[in-house]
Amino acid sequence: MKRRTFLKNSTSGTAALVAAPTLIACKEASEKPIVGEESSEPIRPIAVCTWNFQNATAKAWEVLSSDGSALDAVEQGVMVEEADVTNETVGKGGRPDRDGNVTLDACIMDKDGNCGSVVYLKNIVHPVSVARKVMEETPHIILAGKGAEQFAYEQGFKKEELLTESTRKQYEEWKKTSKYETVINIENHDTIGMLTIDKNGDIAGACTTSGMAYKVAGRVGDSPIIGAGLYVDNEVGGATATGVGEEVIRTVGSFLIVELMRQGKSPQEACEEGVKRIMKKNEGRKDFQIGFLAINKKGETGGYCVHPGFTYREYTENGHENKTVQSFYQKE
Ligand code: SD4
């Protein structure tokens, strides 16, 4: 019953808990943000991810509902997007850097604070799984570039072309008009960050991306940086980021969100505070998007973004739920 109350509060007004994956539960801009402070029973298992990746949360749920661990769920969940060539900012089919190379960034973190990361990885479809191998098979946390790729082959990953016909054509078009400049595109928002809690109440997170389209060769964003694109503390909760990575790194964004929750803020309040800190330093800028997604130990979730259409997807025992969080930042 408590759980129902939470869900009702979370999606009040025009929103509805929906079974059909194509329906979106929208929050009105005027409504109170999603805060589940009333729930006393923890919500678990649960999977949440940035944007509307229903297949990813469904996969994570499949793992969680068969008593799988949060770590397995989060890895297998984001792998769905890495393999999806129609998602042009994650994994295979991701847009290349300005030299035409697809380079991937990803990280993963478990309940014990173990973490692994790969940056500037080429030719491998599932960077998150390589990141997990870094975490489990090496004494290190981050492997980069050629070394990361070599390590992946040693671990049995196959070499694969990541540029698709579609992204190659787009790249050729971009070269004609680009003046070789990186696109800071506010619509470039398909990075997946996912947070899961399993039936034991343990939390894990993962984040994976091809980064900013047509970035300078060698550029690495926030997504594979522990504390920036992702952070998990099993005592408190987890957070992940989407948007312009440089701004998230500057504020150590995901770590900040988790620390704010530790101090007593709800996931929603923490995400809002994180975005506001970034915006304070970027007054007047309209050309970028920053979003945070967070979950606390009780399974309460929140999200906030400098983008009116920010969505995150949640999967609980009741099935799919989409939340379009129109808590768009406005200067106070
Ligand atoms: C990056 N944060 O590389 C990523 C991009 C992103 O939604 O999240 N896009 O900066």
Side-chain angles (χ1 to χ4, degrees):
M1 210 52 208
K2 284 276 189 201
R3 216 196 98 62
R4 286 218 187 92
T5 313
F6 163 71
L7 286 169
K8 193 157 165 278
N9 289 346
S10 303
T11 58
S12 59
T14 56
L17 185 60
V18 291
T22 47
L23 292 180
I24 293 176
C26 295
K27 280 184 66 68
E28 299 290 344
S30 58
E31 285 177 28
K32 274 182 76 70
I34 297 162
V35 181
E37 73 286 334
E38 281 181 24
S39 63
S40 51
E41 283 169 36
I43 298 159
R44 62 173 76 147
I46 180 169
V48 284
C49 73
T50 53
W51 308 109
N52 183 20
F53 299 125
Q54 63 190 55
N55 297 333
T57 48
K59 182 69 198 177
W61 180 258
E62 197 182 302
V63 177
L64 292 168
S65 60
S66 32
D67 295 346
S69 69
L71 188 66
D72 286 341
V74 86
E75 179 189 8
Q76 290 184 42
V78 301
M79 281 172 72
V80 170
E81 289 307 310
E82 291 180 336
D84 182 353
V85 291
T86 65
N87 181 338
E88 296 185 338
T89 57
V90 180
K92 184 170 177 158
R95 292 194 200 92
D97 65 17
R98 68 182 191 178
D99 293 344
N101 297 307
V102 182
T103 67
L104 305 179
D105 297 336
C107 71
I108 192 162
M109 192 160 186
D110 76 6
K111 66 182 170 60
D112 298 316
N114 298 312
C115 43
S117 161
V118 286
V119 305
Y120 196 71
L121 179 65
K122 294 182 188 169
N123 301 315
I124 304 287
V125 178
H126 291 299
V128 74
S129 301
V130 184
R132 183 167 176 179
K133 290 285 185 195
V134 174
M135 174 173 90
E136 292 177 342
E137 305 295 334
T138 81
H140 310 305
I141 291 179
I142 305 178
L143 291 184
K146 275 210 169 313
E149 190 177 343
Q150 182 55 36
F151 170 74
Y153 298 140
E154 285 163 16
Q155 293 293 323
F157 291 83
K158 297 277 172 295
K159 183 170 186 168
E160 208 167 311
E161 175 59 61
L162 301 180
L163 200 64
T164 59
E165 200 43 34
S166 162
T167 48
R168 193 188 56 72
K169 277 192 190 140
Q170 289 176 47
Y171 172 65
E172 295 302 333
E173 282 306 307
W174 171 81
K175 271 202 298 189
K176 288 180 197 162
T177 57
S178 67
K179 303 194 195 89
Y180 211 50
E181 282 168 8
T182 304
V183 179
I184 299 186
N185 176 1
I186 63 163
E187 296 302 329
N188 175 19
H189 54 54
D190 290 344
T191 289
I192 183 165
M194 182 181 278
L195 304 161
T196 54
I197 303 181
D198 60 28
K199 76 170 195 328
N200 300 323
D202 290 324
I203 309 172
C207 190
T208 178
T209 190
S210 53
M212 222 179 273
Y214 316 129
K215 59 199 175 186
V216 175
R219 181 263 185 189
V220 171
D222 62 312
S223 304
I225 307 298
I226 300 298
L230 177 76
Y231 194 69
V232 171
D233 183 323
N234 206 40
E235 285 179 10
V236 179
T240 188
T242 179
V244 179
E246 283 72 5
E247 301 306 324
V248 179
I249 293 171
R250 259 193 262 279
T251 43
V252 199
S254 293
F255 181 74
L256 170 67
I257 305 297
V258 172
E259 287 307 296
L260 289 168
M261 291 193 291
R262 187 194 304 279
Q263 290 163 23
K265 289 202 186 307
S266 70
Q268 181 66 32
E269 289 164 344
C271 290
E272 292 188 15
E273 171 74 25
V275 167
K276 283 175 186 167
R277 283 205 199 176
I278 290 173
M279 293 314 291
K280 216 171 157 187
K281 294 182 177 147
N282 287 280
E283 276 177 22
R285 270 186 77 179
K286 292 200 176 71
D287 62 344
F288 74 61
Q289 164 221 310
I290 293 289
F292 289 110
L293 170 66
I295 195 165
N296 67 13
K297 191 72 178 166
K298 288 196 268 180
E300 298 163 349
T301 62
Y304 197 64
C305 191
V306 186
H307 188 289
F310 179 58
T311 302
Y312 68 91
R313 179 162 274 271
E314 192 169 299
Y315 207 122
T316 62
E317 63 195 305
N318 291 317
H320 291 284
E321 184 177 1
N322 247 7
K323 293 176 179 177
T324 297
V325 184
Q326 291 199 329
S327 42
F328 177 54
Y329 170 81
Q330 273 163 351
K331 197 168 170 254
E332 281 160 8

